[in-house]
């Protein structure tokens, strides 16, 4: 998070923008929860919106659109938040827009927020893809680089200004331009051949396979804390004989006089352990552990850590209360196993995207709950947040349902030597800091993935990944770290630094098209090569086939539902040869069809979903369901047949 001279900075170039310096993170990023001392006010709903279509995309800065209501600058649109802006309108120019868009919303604050000087008011933006500048009543308040993580600012001094009711005008300018040092990287290419392109014509080139949706795609809200407050909590957990251990560290913002009390409550709301002070260890005899879905008859057990701060201030004592869900579990990796609570865990799940009709990457509760119903129905126990951090509410659902997460940062498309520069590396480390800060307390998160399919065979990638992975381990020594590779095992310069090898392959799809009979051989060779070189557990982190729902061909032909099914079956036979040896997981590509850039290889997006974009099952979904439930029943503790835990009654159960 950086505050800076937006005007000067915006003058750098038509679309390009400076890279924020890697500064130490200034504080915590606790999820804004209500409590006896904290309130929330959602700013979701309709915002005014204007894309800056001027040639240099800088008219908004030149005319200072943030100084007065946006509607006074020219025509505005109604824009729902959260949502990507791209698919909302009928104007094709907006769908492909690259440059600055402007959002604005007015809000009236409750008096108790503005009159009580013991109250602190915070503006929090769940994400803004990809660079954002925020003004409150025309005052430059906050800037943030990076599209998939939250940022916030204390705006108390702007709202506590006198006895009158306080109206706020929040203006957010967002730029979706990607540069070689952003994550993901991209580049603006100006087309200079005037026989083919009009003057000044440019396109944004990217090397990743999903549509670069942008806008305010997650919740925007205001929340309060007392002026002396709990700023951050870090929890790690362990198990000692039959006791659970909860190590906590709390950082507070207040004077030197304060009292900090910590209580751990079980699911029945009974206090099971207590402590005082900013750090300590709570011991829970006979603890119920947090187990993944289908791994145990009582999965996803959550305790609540209630932290209470009491502090004197010049205007009287204040107390702040924050309650954090805590799952007690351990994660460990051996040469050939991934252990959760000391037992071998096999990832049988999916890769996802935040993607749906109309809303693009906009957060949506109905979609999220539907997706979880489908995951539970499928018997999936894990997913990877391919290829960027997902909304915090997604991870909260994973904690509650026992869906294990490989949490990936937005480093996708690092394919050129310039993507491994020091500037990129510093930014990458900062994104990992923001990611770990946000997600460190989720029991569901069992591993960090620092990248997807980088050009890890490049010489510079070796040093780069050594640094990024070492940094991530220093930020969080409690979880393994990986990146997802599609490089040749012998050439991969980053693999020596990972804890688990995550490998993508598309046999009989991108290679030897149509030759399903080669999959088992090629997959077996792939696994053996990686294992003999590194002696680390392996996850098949992607495999799949493009499939148009309703296309049928038997014998199977590419793009038909039968081909997807047959390809998956061949992969499963290959996986079963090594499952229980050193292959510790399989994540199909992809959970659902999703939107991509237009190209002759993509027909209205990527169709490798086992569900359609509208979440209807293809034939392969039934195959996977049978397989995942079978594996679950073979690997369950204690041994007894698992039952679906669907959130609602599904006709498929
Ligand atoms: C991959 C990428 C993923 C693509 C997928 C595909 O290896 O990691 O982003 O969408 O292949 O379908 O080509």
């Amino acid at each position: 998070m950086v505050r800076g001279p937006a005007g000067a900075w915006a003058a750098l170039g038509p679309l390009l923008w400076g890279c924020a310096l890697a500064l130490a993170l200034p504080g915590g990023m606790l999820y804004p929860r209500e409590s006896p001392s904290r309130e929330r006010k959602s700013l979701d709903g309709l915002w005014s919106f204007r894309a800056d279509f001027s040639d240099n995309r800088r008219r908004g800065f030149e005319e200072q659109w943030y100084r007065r209501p946006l509607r006074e600058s020219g025509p505005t649109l109604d824009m729902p938040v959260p949502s990507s802006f791209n698919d909302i309108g009928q104007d094709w120019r907006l769908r492909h827009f690259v440059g600055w868009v402007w959002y604005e919303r007015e809000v009236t604050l409750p008096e108790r927020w503005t009159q009580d000087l013991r109250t602190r008011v915070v503006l929090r933006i769940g994400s803004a893809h990809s660079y954002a500048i925020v003004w409150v009543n025309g005052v430059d308040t906050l800037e943030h680089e990076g599209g998939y993580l939250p940022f916030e600012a204390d705006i108390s001094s702007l709202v506590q200004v006198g006895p009158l009711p306080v109206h706020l005008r929040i203006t957010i300018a967002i730029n979706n331009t990607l540069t070689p040092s952003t994550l993901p990287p991209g580049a603006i290419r100006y087309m200079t051949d005037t026989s083919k392109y009009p003057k000044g014509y440019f396109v944004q080139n990217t090397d990743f396979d999903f549509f670069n949706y942008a806008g305010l795609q997650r919740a925007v809200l205001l929340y309060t804390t007392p002026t002396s407050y709990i700023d951050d909590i870090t929890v790690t957990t362990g198990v000692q004989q039959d006791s659970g251990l909860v190590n906590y560290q709390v950082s507070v913002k207040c004077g030197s006089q304060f009292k900090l009390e910590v209580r751990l409550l079980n699911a029945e709301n009974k206090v099971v352990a207590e402590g005082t002070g900013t750090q300590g260890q709570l011991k829970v005899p006979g603890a119920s552990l947090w187990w993944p879905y289908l791994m145990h008859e009582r999965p996803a057990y959550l305790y609540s850590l209630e932290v209470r701060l009491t502090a004197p201030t010049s205007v009287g004592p204040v107390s702040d209360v924050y309650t954090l869900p805590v799952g007690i579990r351990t994660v460990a990796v051996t040469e050939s196993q991934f252990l959760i609570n000391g037992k071998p865990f096999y990832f049988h799940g999916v890769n996802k995207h935040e993607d749906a009709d109309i809303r693009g990457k906009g957060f949506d509760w109905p979609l999220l709950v539907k997706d979880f119903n489908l995951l539970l129905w499928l018997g999936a126990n894990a997913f990877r947040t391919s290829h960027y951090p997902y909304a915090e509410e997604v991870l909260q659902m994973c904690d509650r349902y026992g869906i294990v997460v490989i949490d990936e940062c937005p480093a996708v498309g690092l394919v050129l030597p310039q993507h491994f520069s020091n500037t990129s590396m510093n930014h990458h480390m900062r994104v990992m800091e923001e990611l770990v800060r946000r997600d460190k307390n989720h029991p569901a998160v069992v591993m960090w993935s620092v990248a997807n399919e980088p050009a890890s065979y490049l010489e510079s990638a070796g040093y780069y990944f050594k640094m990024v992975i070492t940094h991530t381990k220093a930020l969080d020594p409690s979880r393994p770290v990986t990146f997802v590779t599609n490089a040749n095992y012998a050439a991969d310069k980053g693999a020596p630094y990972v804890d688990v090898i995550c490998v993508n392959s598309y046999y009989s799809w991108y290679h030897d098209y149509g030759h399903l009979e080669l999959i088992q051989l090629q997959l077996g060779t792939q696994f053996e090569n990686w294992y003999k070189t590194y002696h680390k557990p392996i996850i098949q982190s992607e495999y799949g086939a493009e499939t148009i729902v309703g296309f049928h061909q038997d014998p199977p032909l590419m793009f038909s539902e039968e081909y997807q099914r047959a390809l998956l079956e061949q992969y499963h036979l290959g996986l079963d040869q090594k499952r229980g040896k050193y292959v510790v997981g399989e994540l199909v590509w992809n959970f659902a069809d999703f939107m991509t850039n237009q190209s002759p290889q993509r027909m209205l997006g990527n169709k490798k979903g086992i569900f359609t974009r509208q979440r209807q099952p293809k034939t392969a979904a039934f195959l996977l369901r049978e397989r995942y439930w079978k594996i679950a029943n073979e690997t369950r503790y204690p041994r007894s047949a698992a039952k679906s835990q669907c959130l609602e009654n599904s006709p498929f159960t």
Side-chain angles (χ1 to χ4, degrees):
M1 204 183 310
V2 230
R3 294 173 61 138
W9 166 83
L12 279 177
L15 297 159
L16 302 178
W17 31 277
C19 180
L21 291 175
L23 303 172
L25 292 176
M29 192 54 70
L30 290 173
Y31 185 74
R33 293 175 189 282
E34 283 176 336
S35 83
S37 59
R38 295 174 174 232
E39 289 183 77
R40 289 171 50 132
K41 188 175 178 59
S42 168
L43 300 183
D44 294 349
L46 286 188
W47 287 55
S48 296
F49 175 91
R50 186 171 179 195
D52 186 342
F53 283 108
S54 63
D55 284 348
N56 65 7
R57 303 290 201 256
R58 292 209 307 262
R59 179 174 297 158
F61 291 98
E62 287 158 6
E63 297 178 357
Q64 303 188 325
W65 289 355
Y66 48 90
R67 282 203 177 273
R68 51 189 196 287
L70 194 55
R71 61 183 175 276
E72 291 177 18
S73 73
T76 57
L77 300 174
D78 279 343
M79 187 55 70
V81 172
S83 177
S84 307
F85 63 73
N86 310 75
D87 288 350
I88 294 295
Q90 288 301 98
D91 183 348
W92 65 268
R93 293 179 312 155
L94 193 55
R95 184 164 198 280
H96 302 289
F97 184 80
V98 179
W100 290 100
V101 297
W102 293 72
Y103 283 78
E104 183 204 74
R105 152 111 205 219
E106 288 177 5
V107 56
T108 305
L109 296 188
E111 234 174 53
R112 59 182 183 282
W113 289 24
T114 58
Q115 303 301 310
D116 183 350
L117 297 183
R118 286 173 303 179
T119 298
R120 176 175 160 264
V121 181
V122 183
L123 169 63
R124 190 185 208 261
I125 293 145
S127 73
H129 187 61
S130 168
Y131 195 99
I133 307 177
V134 182
W135 294 263
V136 177
N137 289 344
V139 177
D140 180 9
T141 306
L142 180 63
E143 295 186 24
H144 184 260
E145 177 175 4
Y148 302 98
L149 288 162
F151 52 104
E152 61 180 32
D154 179 343
I155 58 165
S156 311
S157 60
L158 294 170
V159 304
Q160 291 167 346
V161 286
L164 296 175
V166 174
H167 304 287
L168 291 187
R169 188 167 42 78
I170 299 169
T171 313
I172 308 181
I174 303 178
N175 195 326
N176 61 352
T177 310
L178 301 175
T179 76
S181 60
T182 55
L183 291 185
I188 297 294
R189 185 155 162 235
Y190 284 91
M191 314 303 257
T192 48
D193 181 345
T194 49
S195 69
K196 291 189 186 151
Y197 305 99
K199 195 163 165 281
Y201 195 85
F202 65 85
V203 289
Q204 171 152 283
N205 286 346
T206 54
D207 268 300
F208 51 85
D209 185 33
F210 56 92
F211 191 76
N212 191 34
Y213 281 114
L216 290 174
Q217 303 179 130
R218 295 184 188 155
V220 182
L221 57 92
L222 292 163
Y223 71 93
T224 63
T225 71
T227 42
S228 289
Y229 62 97
I230 298 158
D231 182 47
D232 200 9
I233 305 172
T234 307
V235 162
T236 57
T237 61
V239 178
Q240 200 177 59
Q241 278 121 29
D242 78 330
S243 290
L245 303 176
V246 176
N247 307 303
Y248 66 88
Q249 187 160 11
V250 182
S251 79
V252 293
K253 288 276 159 63
C254 64
S256 55
Q257 299 289 312
F258 64 88
K259 195 164 100 187
L260 200 76
E261 294 159 299
V262 174
R263 304 194 307 164
L264 191 72
L265 294 98
N266 66 14
E268 285 78 44
N269 239 10
K270 290 217 175 69
V271 178
V272 293
E274 289 180 273
T276 53
T278 53
Q279 51 184 330
Q281 184 176 76
L282 305 177
K283 196 165 178 179
V284 190
S288 299
L289 301 186
W290 187 96
W291 289 95
Y293 174 55
L294 300 181
M295 194 177 176
H296 193 268
E297 58 195 10
R298 192 170 185 190
Y301 190 94
L302 289 176
Y303 291 87
S304 301
L305 187 76
E306 188 189 275
V307 181
R308 182 180 294 268
L309 168 75
T310 318
T313 70
S314 55
V315 278
V318 297
S319 112
D320 188 21
V321 182
Y322 189 91
T323 303
L324 180 79
V326 169
I328 301 176
R329 57 109 184 90
T330 63
V331 172
V333 170
T334 71
E335 263 202 5
S336 59
Q337 288 177 317
F338 196 100
L339 304 174
I340 296 186
N341 300 332
K343 306 277 191 216
F345 175 72
Y346 188 78
F347 296 75
H348 44 88
V350 300
N351 292 275
K352 284 186 99 261
H353 262 300
E354 289 186 320
D355 177 272
D357 288 334
I358 303 172
R359 51 190 73 52
K361 291 197 180 306
F363 177 78
D364 182 50
W365 276 112
L367 180 75
L368 180 60
V369 176
K370 178 69 180 175
D371 280 4
F372 269 76
N373 275 320
L374 291 174
L375 289 170
L376 300 182
W377 171 81
L378 203 59
N381 64 1
F383 66 78
R384 171 165 70 116
T385 67
S386 42
H387 293 307
Y388 39 81
Y390 293 177
E392 289 154 284
E393 292 81 359
V394 179
L395 298 180
Q396 290 163 9
M397 289 285 278
C398 291
D399 290 345
R400 289 178 52 213
Y401 290 96
I403 303 296
V404 165
V405 176
I406 300 173
D407 203 352
E408 188 156 281
C409 94
V412 52
L414 278 63
V415 295
L416 302 173
Q418 71 211 87
H419 297 155
F420 300 97
S421 69
N422 281 344
T423 313
S424 296
M425 189 169 75
N426 286 338
H427 178 57
H428 199 149
M429 288 187 184
R430 185 181 166 82
V431 173
M432 289 313 302
E433 287 170 21
E434 290 188 24
L435 177 60
V436 171
R437 173 175 70 166
R438 191 194 73 162
D439 292 349
K440 62 189 170 188
N441 293 323
H442 288 285
V445 174
V446 300
M447 181 154 64
W448 306 109
S449 163
V450 301
N452 177 68
E453 294 189 354
S456 47
Y457 50 83
L458 292 175
E459 210 52 55
S460 51
Y463 176 69
Y464 186 98
F465 281 108
K466 181 178 175 190
M467 296 303 284
V468 173
I469 291 171
T470 307
H471 188 60
T472 307
K473 283 173 175 283
L475 293 168
D476 178 11
S478 77
R479 291 179 176 88
V481 182
T482 190
F483 71 88
V484 172
T485 185
N486 65 344
N488 177 280
Y489 73 98
D492 198 310
K493 302 282 189 294
Y497 308 108
V498 301
D499 296 304
V500 174
I501 303 284
C502 286
V503 56
N504 295 348
S505 60
Y506 285 90
Y507 301 126
S508 166
W509 189 260
Y510 290 124
H511 319 273
D512 302 301
Y513 330 125
H515 291 282
L516 296 165
E517 69 281 7
L518 297 176
I519 290 176
Q520 287 189 56
L521 173 67
Q522 295 183 355
L523 190 61
T525 310
Q526 169 201 281
F527 287 142
E528 277 153 28
N529 283 337
W530 280 100
Y531 193 69
K532 77 168 187 248
T533 312
Y534 294 103
H535 287 280
K536 293 177 184 178
I538 302 176
I539 295 176
Q540 180 70 38
S541 40
E542 287 182 27
Y543 68 107
E546 208 80 18
T547 308
I548 314 290
V549 71
F551 274 25
H552 292 287
Q553 288 291 327
D554 193 28
L557 294 183
M558 289 174 83
F559 296 96
S560 68
E561 294 200 37
E562 288 74 14
Y563 192 86
Q564 185 184 38
R565 188 193 156 100
L567 183 143
L568 265 48
E569 273 171 338
Q570 290 303 310
Y571 258 90
H572 296 161
L573 290 168
L575 283 157
D576 285 343
Q577 298 293 312
K578 311 291 179 197
R579 184 157 64 88
K581 295 186 179 138
Y582 53 80
V583 170
V584 298
E586 55 189 85
L587 304 174
V588 72
W589 191 263
N590 188 286
F591 173 72
D593 294 345
F594 57 92
M595 192 45 70
T596 63
N597 272 341
Q598 297 183 73
S599 86
Q601 283 79 36
R602 294 284 178 259
M603 207 192 83
L604 294 180
N606 186 308
K607 297 281 193 252
K608 294 195 187 72
I610 56 161
F611 297 100
T612 64
R613 202 182 192 209
Q614 296 71 33
R615 276 46 180 184
Q616 296 308 316
K618 301 180 190 172
T619 306
F622 296 92
L623 171 81
L624 270 187
R625 179 174 198 242
E626 215 176 295
R627 173 171 175 80
Y628 287 175
W629 281 93
K630 185 167 161 283
I631 295 175
N633 282 326
E634 283 166 19
T635 54
R636 190 170 150 84
Y637 302 97
R639 301 250 176 269
S640 63
K643 282 208 193 83
S644 168
Q645 314 254 323
C646 274
L647 304 183
E648 58 184 10
N649 288 331
S650 157
F652 303 119
T653 53

